[in-house]
Amino acid sequence: MVAGPSLEWERITAQVMRCRLPFCDVTVGVVHAGGEALVVDTGTTLAEARAVVRDVAALTDCVVRHVVVTHNHFDHVLGHSAFGGAQTFCSAEVVATMADAGESLRADAIRHGADPCEVDDALAALRPPVGAVCDGVVELGDVVVTIAHPGRGHTAHDLIVVVEGGPRTVVFCGDLVEESGDPCIDAQSDLDAWPGTLRRVLAAGGESAVYVPGHGALVDASFLRRQADWLATAASGRGQVGC
Ligand SMILES: [Zn+2]
């Protein structure tokens, strides 16, 4: 007997689904077709990431062959080792964080309420991916997945994932877009560049695309325009905006 899924999945198209992990409401995306799956972001703990692997197998009959880590924050990075053997798309900054920045990942995760033992387990297993690249195209059956860096914003190295070939284009935005709270602006962010980067995300997906935030509910093109305007206002006033 095949066990059912252990996480709650939101179906976006026949080939695209996502889960809002209970911890931090971080999105994990899945694109699946032709027996292979691509996962977007990896969560904070090995338990979360292993549940994703199991659920992908149970729900899609696909094996995770590709992983995209959108940026180097703990809630997107720490589950990476559960996808051993998959090809990883991420920036050089993410590779460096996995190699050298365990202490700051740990501190950030615990500051946000993660279980220290679970974080330590994830860090003990974490290895920088070999042969990672920061952009490219993956074809899964008829589905074409483009991984790209649209510019500086939430960090200097955020990646987006554009999924075409289904009834609607789907764009995983990482934390360049947040719906469940204000965009997280911290010392890594480039507030001046961020609105322009969002306009490039919009150009990549188009007016009718579904945009998937790093945290929060699915949004549309008009939401991205409003967020770009909000960021431009914050940049002009240097408003105090925290994570
Ligand atoms: Zn982030």
Side-chain angles (χ1 to χ4, degrees):
M1 197 171 97
V2 178
S6 51
L7 300 168
E8 275 189 40
W9 292 91
E10 179 178 9
R11 177 60 64 187
I12 303 174
T13 72
Q15 277 87 32
V16 184
M17 62 184 189
R18 68 95 179 236
C19 168
R20 296 168 68 171
L21 290 176
F23 182 63
C24 289
D25 187 22
V26 62
T27 283
V28 171
V30 174
V31 186
H32 59 91
E36 294 190 6
L38 176 145
V39 167
V40 184
D41 284 329
T42 69
T44 304
T45 69
L46 292 177
E48 289 173 337
R50 287 171 182 151
V52 170
V53 173
R54 281 197 307 274
D55 284 1
V56 168
L59 293 171
T60 74
D61 215 14
C62 292
V63 176
V64 179
R65 299 278 189 218
H66 315 273
V67 175
V68 181
V69 181
T70 58
H71 65 290
N72 69 349
H73 289 166
F74 74 91
D75 48 330
H76 303 256
V77 164
L78 280 171
H80 183 265
S81 67
F83 303 95
Q87 174 198 20
T88 298
F89 292 86
C90 68
S91 68
E93 287 90 337
V94 171
V95 176
T97 296
M98 289 189 190
D100 301 324
E103 277 308 308
S104 67
L105 285 172
R106 185 178 196 276
D108 271 354
I110 290 170
R111 184 165 58 85
H112 282 82
D115 179 302
C117 293
E118 290 196 289
V119 174
D120 288 340
D121 286 347
L123 282 169
L126 196 62
R127 300 285 180 275
V130 176
V133 292
C134 62
D135 56 21
V137 175
V138 175
E139 293 184 14
L140 302 171
D142 294 337
V143 180
V144 179
V145 185
T146 303
I147 300 103
H149 170 55
R152 300 166 65 88
H154 173 61
T155 70
H157 61 268
D158 307 88
L159 300 184
I160 61 169
V161 178
V162 182
V163 187
E164 296 167 294
R168 295 183 77 183
T169 297
V170 179
V171 183
F172 289 96
C173 305
D175 287 2
L176 286 169
V177 178
E178 293 197 42
E179 186 277 336
S180 50
D182 290 336
C184 173
I185 303 167
D186 65 15
Q188 274 189 281
S189 304
D190 187 332
L191 191 49
D192 292 316
W194 199 337
T197 296
L198 283 188
R199 283 189 279 278
R200 286 188 287 278
V201 176
L202 275 167
E207 194 59 30
S208 61
V210 178
Y211 293 89
V212 189
H215 305 265
L218 304 181
V219 297
D220 60 11
S222 65
F223 182 94
L224 265 66
R225 278 193 288 275
R226 287 197 300 278
Q227 193 151 102
D229 291 344
W230 185 90
L231 288 160
T233 301
S236 63
R238 281 291 176 263
Q240 198 56 285
V241 187
C243 295

